[in-house]
Amino acid sequence: MKLFLLLFLGVWQADAYPAKAKDISDIINGFSCARGSIPWQAYLTYKTNKGDHFCGGSLINQWWVLSAAHCMGLAGTMVVHLGEDVLSQYEGSEQAIYASKQIRHPSYNPQAFDNDIMLIKLAQPAQYTKYVHPIPLPTSCVAAGTWCTVSGWGNMVTNGVVNANALQCLNQPIISSAECQHAYKYDYTNNMMCSGFMQGGQSTCQGDSGGPLVCNGQLQGIVSWAYKCALKGYPTVYTKVCNYNAWINYIMSNN
């Protein structure tokens, strides 16, 4: 059974990481991002029948945020928070906007986490500032070995739950598809990519789901799942955004 490290309020989802369980994640052994350095970062709050949850996301233009399909909330309950840094403080840069639409990829598989991608339309346009700005979509797929940055407010420990208060960042390389396929066998598809450290010790964790993996100034990955946080031999798996440019543009132009 797959357990996924979902980027929900530090709560383990039984159907989200494998026991191999798929985990949806916060950042283990990262660092506090410089304020304003990740202006596309979104913080999603919403309710489900299991209570309050959160995920990450990425602002891609004034009206749209990209996140993971497994982060979908109930209609009318999701709020997209932009310009956030330290969650416990009001810093004057925050924008909180209701989601008017949540559109999952039509081929999303909640068991396999294949096509784990979702577009969120804002009820009103985001206002661009120093702390709120979109990230470009990829112009091509990223090569193995490229260093990238992942960010989120997820769990920061491997045992227990300590959710981040300030936005956390981690610089990490893209891992080859061959290595990722070897690690995850039949759980890995061509719509996924791996980034992180095969030796373990650093990774995303619960609460980082849906957040951005940015390489050379482009959004290349969406935090999706892993077997465990920072586990040796099992890096975090990301939705491969470059496979979805046509779908993203189609949805935005028709909604």
Side-chain angles (χ1 to χ4, degrees):
M1 176 183 181
K2 294 178 179 178
L3 293 180
F4 286 80
L5 228 118
L6 301 175
L7 282 156
F8 296 155
L9 280 183
V11 175
W12 286 95
Q13 284 289 105
D15 57 356
Y17 228 66
K20 300 211 175 149
K22 286 181 177 176
D23 261 319
I24 305 264
S25 21
D26 185 281
I27 291 172
I28 306 292
N29 291 324
F31 57 91
S32 293
C33 310
R35 178 158 158 71
S37 63
I38 317 289
W40 47 84
Q41 179 82 46
Y43 178 75
L44 313 178
T45 58
Y46 57 100
K47 294 182 181 296
T48 72
N49 57 8
K50 295 182 181 180
D52 296 333
H53 294 290
F54 74 81
C55 269
S58 303
L59 186 70
I60 57 173
N61 63 38
Q62 280 189 298
W63 287 99
W64 292 94
V65 168
L66 200 61
S67 187
H70 73 255
C71 290
M72 178 175 275
L74 298 178
T77 68
M78 179 179 282
V79 179
V80 178
H81 305 263
L82 303 169
E84 294 276 2
D85 181 22
V86 179
L87 298 180
S88 64
Q89 297 177 9
Y90 176 70
E91 298 167 296
S93 56
E94 298 90 341
Q95 298 178 36
I97 306 171
Y98 274 101
S100 65
K101 293 183 180 182
Q102 300 172 65
I103 304 172
R104 280 175 166 168
H105 193 277
S107 298
Y108 169 58
N109 182 328
Q111 283 73 47
F113 277 45
D114 197 20
N115 299 297
D116 189 16
I117 188 169
M118 170 177 66
L119 275 162
I120 301 164
K121 188 173 186 182
L122 303 176
Q124 60 190 61
Q127 301 302 306
Y128 292 167
T129 69
K130 175 182 177 180
Y131 301 104
V132 176
H133 202 77
I135 182 71
L137 294 174
T139 53
S140 62
C141 296
V142 66
T146 303
W147 279 80
C148 308
T149 300
V150 63
S151 50
W153 285 275
N155 190 14
M156 300 189 295
V157 296
T158 53
N159 294 308
V161 177
V162 178
N163 290 317
N165 186 31
L167 182 63
Q168 298 293 295
C169 284
L170 179 62
N171 298 324
Q172 58 186 32
I174 298 295
I175 294 170
S176 72
S177 290
E179 285 183 277
C180 204
Q181 181 79 65
H182 179 75
Y184 289 112
K185 304 294 189 291
Y186 301 110
D187 291 325
Y188 183 78
T189 77
N190 290 333
N191 296 315
M192 301 172 185
M193 56 186 284
C194 287
S195 181
F197 302 95
M198 294 301 292
Q199 68 270 28
Q202 293 178 286
S203 79
T204 55
C205 198
Q206 311 98 287
D208 291 325
S209 289
L213 179 72
V214 173
C215 314
N216 297 323
Q218 297 181 346
L219 180 63
Q220 291 285 353
I222 298 168
V223 181
S224 185
W225 63 275
Y227 282 174
K228 283 272 188 183
C229 302
L231 182 65
K232 182 178 180 180
Y234 296 100
T236 301
V237 180
Y238 296 79
T239 304
K240 192 175 183 179
V241 177
C242 64
N243 284 7
Y244 298 95
N245 280 353
W247 176 77
I248 293 167
N249 289 317
Y250 173 81
I251 294 298
M252 292 192 300
S253 64
N254 286 277
N255 286 275

